[in-house]
Amino acid sequence: MPPSRWTVSTRLDVRYDIRETPGLLDPANPTLADILTSDARGGLRLVLVDHAVARLYGARIEQYLKEYNISHRLLELSGDENRKTMGQVLGIISALNDVGTLRVSDAPVAIGGGVVLDVVGLAASLYRRGIPHTRIPTTLLAQVDVSVAAKTGVNYQGYRNRIGSYNPPPLTLIDPTFLRTVSARHISNGAGEIFKMGLIKDAALFELLERCGPALVAGKFQSTTAAEAIGRAIAGMIDELENNLWEKELRRAVDHGHSFSPLVEMRHVHELLHGEAVALDCLLSAVIAHGRGYLGHHTIDRIAATAAGLGLRTWHPAFGDTALLMQALTDTMRHRNGNQNLPVVREIGRATFLNDVSTEEISDAAQHMRRLGERQEPKLAHHGTNR
Ligand SMILES: NC(=O)c1ccc[n+]([C@@H]2O[C@H](COP(=O)([O-])OP(=O)(O)OC[C@H]3O[C@@H](n4cnc5c(N)ncnc54)[C@H](O)[C@@H]3O)[C@@H](O)[C@H]2O)c1
């Protein structure tokens, strides 16, 4: 009898680099040119740039590429969360087809915040079933979080990142000087993910934010202390992701702040940015941890004060809507295969997971969070503005 059952078993060796390279667009700095020349085969390279970045840096990007004779076509993309759609993905795929992008060489370059990087990442994973690209994150959130991640995605039917893939690009280049032009609100937004990392992984990072948060935000994360905060956040993220890149393990400490926030963020997309919603979710989870006896009064006060010091909101009325929070948790549980797996802070710098959080517990915690948050709100200088 011929065999009637077969098994295919293989291994995928994954390795990608994240490199800090200040002054990336300085014509005297050949780093980017060297990288682009190393995979060139004479075709047109698509350079996909966030529209705000194109406005601020477009001329410098063009000048740099011209200086090094890199044939390219620059395409501007919207960095608006509302445009994180399959429509944008298909537009990029059409552009890749149009310039005749090869399977491996003349790989496209994505320059922008998390929205552009997620959309280009998804297009690159679909075009010819997957091509490489180079990622250049230009916001704080994209530098500390998206730059490490393997994930791509677009929003669909009112849900965040409902369609996506795992497609880490071989190289990500981080130039902190891009942050000089990022609005204060978007700097705080990125600080929300660093705040999360301090809470679940790195007590020294949390203490650094607690001590220096307002100065870091005011200085747009350009100082040596800022470099330490960014470096610690990236290292913590790599440590958490490296052995679980495809998320086979669904108990993930890095999901702290991402249990209630995805739906809240989508429902209030005009009011809340990703990192702001994450920080609010961290505060709710901290109060839940307080209710369980893990964190004392003083600790949750410190957590709320640190968020406020980073210019992050500490209360939003959406967190007073228990039905919305429960709907969000139910959807998140589907993502966690039916389990809550709610990461909460056991002590600053260490997470634990809860699987038995009740509606009443969430509602009580939200009330406590409102009182805690409202005490901090007057300290916030710029939330709700795009300065
Ligand atoms: N793939 C992942 O693992 C992952 C992780 C975290 C977040 N994300 C996604 O990232 C997105 C949020 O990213 P974001 O916060 O970077 O938002 P964003 O991409 O919307 O950028 C924020 C704003 O800043 C502008 N901008 C970008 N760079 C600039 C610069 N240097 N100077 C001035 N303006 C600039 C953009 O045009 C935009 O208006 C969300 O869609 C989220 O889902 C993905």
Side-chain angles (χ1 to χ4, degrees):
M1 280 283 286
S4 58
R5 187 173 163 172
W6 296 263
T7 302
V8 178
S9 174
T10 186
R11 279 175 191 280
L12 183 63
D13 193 20
V14 178
R15 189 184 180 89
Y16 54 100
D17 287 329
I18 301 141
R19 260 192 245 165
E20 196 186 282
T21 320
L24 200 62
L25 299 178
D26 180 349
N29 179 353
T31 309
L32 179 59
D34 288 349
I35 288 155
L36 299 185
T37 327
S38 71
D39 83 336
R41 281 200 75 178
L44 262 190
R45 187 183 303 271
L46 201 58
V47 179
L48 302 133
V49 187
D50 172 284
H51 65 107
V53 175
R55 185 169 43 78
L56 292 161
Y57 300 92
R60 285 179 60 193
I61 296 170
E62 291 284 12
Q63 192 196 337
Y64 184 93
L65 296 174
K66 195 168 158 222
E67 190 97 5
Y68 286 96
N69 285 323
I70 291 160
S71 358
H72 66 280
R73 182 181 297 170
L74 193 144
L75 183 69
E76 286 186 31
L77 297 174
S78 169
D80 188 336
E81 187 70 38
N82 281 325
R83 295 291 317 283
K84 206 174 143 178
T85 60
M86 278 310 283
Q88 274 229 87
V89 170
L90 295 176
I92 295 165
I93 290 173
S94 300
L96 289 166
N97 230 4
D98 217 33
V99 302
T101 301
L102 299 176
R103 188 84 180 264
V104 182
S105 302
D106 298 323
V109 181
I111 311 178
V115 167
V116 162
L117 300 186
D118 270 1
V119 169
V120 174
L122 182 54
S125 74
L126 294 173
Y127 181 71
R128 299 186 191 281
R129 301 196 180 89
I131 57 163
H133 68 292
T134 300
R135 194 161 56 174
I136 302 178
T138 58
T139 62
L140 181 59
L141 187 131
Q143 295 192 349
V144 297
D145 194 336
V146 187
S147 72
V148 182
K151 292 196 273 197
T152 76
V154 292
N155 304 326
Y156 186 62
Q157 293 190 334
Y159 291 95
R160 279 193 64 243
N161 300 324
R162 191 44 45 100
I163 302 174
S165 61
Y166 294 92
N167 183 42
L171 180 64
T172 297
L173 296 169
I174 297 181
D175 179 355
T177 64
F178 277 118
L179 304 182
R180 291 178 186 154
T181 52
V182 171
S183 71
R185 185 176 178 202
H186 277 98
I187 291 285
S188 293
N189 180 50
E193 289 283 3
I194 307 179
F195 169 70
K196 173 203 80 179
M197 193 54 75
L199 283 172
I200 50 122
K201 180 88 184 154
D202 185 344
L205 175 58
F206 176 83
E207 283 154 19
L208 188 154
L209 298 179
E210 186 176 31
R211 252 187 354 265
C212 311
L216 291 173
V217 173
K220 306 234 167 167
F221 276 75
Q222 295 297 302
S223 61
T224 322
T225 315
E228 185 187 344
I230 291 174
R232 292 190 87 102
I234 291 175
M237 189 77 173
I238 292 173
D239 197 49
E240 286 293 316
L241 294 193
E242 200 165 33
N243 292 319
N244 190 25
L245 209 56
W246 318 116
E247 300 186 19
K248 299 298 176 208
E249 170 57 62
L250 296 173
R251 273 163 47 110
R252 298 186 343 127
V254 285
D255 281 343
H256 184 55
H258 294 70
S259 301
F260 306 98
S261 66
L263 194 63
V264 169
E265 183 190 338
M266 287 306 291
R267 291 288 162 83
H268 296 272
V269 76
H270 297 296
E271 294 164 43
L272 284 175
L273 301 174
H274 178 72
E276 292 174 336
V278 166
L280 285 162
D281 184 321
C282 289
L283 291 184
L284 178 65
S285 303
V287 178
I288 292 172
H290 167 71
R292 298 275 175 134
Y294 298 154
L295 304 177
H297 275 292
H298 176 60
T299 307
I300 55 169
D301 279 346
R302 279 177 66 201
I303 293 173
T306 301
L310 291 167
L312 290 160
R313 298 187 68 144
T314 49
W315 173 249
H316 185 278
F319 281 76
D321 181 348
T322 308
L324 176 62
L325 296 180
M326 290 316 293
Q327 194 188 342
L329 186 59
T330 303
D331 190 57
T332 292
M333 285 172 66
R334 289 193 191 108
H335 202 59
R336 298 178 188 162
N337 203 34
N339 298 313
Q340 288 185 346
N341 288 347
L342 186 75
V344 297
V345 176
R346 185 74 182 75
E347 62 183 342
I348 287 179
R350 188 161 71 89
T352 189
F353 296 88
L354 302 179
N355 266 304
D356 57 352
V357 181
S358 67
T359 308
E360 198 185 2
E361 190 175 4
I362 290 170
S363 169
D364 289 350
Q367 290 313 312
H368 187 164
M369 174 190 169
R370 181 172 59 75
R371 294 191 296 277
L372 185 72
E374 282 176 351
R375 285 207 298 278
Q376 302 294 338
E377 288 277 298
K379 294 185 200 160
L380 298 176
H382 62 259
H383 77 64
T385 73
N386 272 318
R387 278 193 297 116

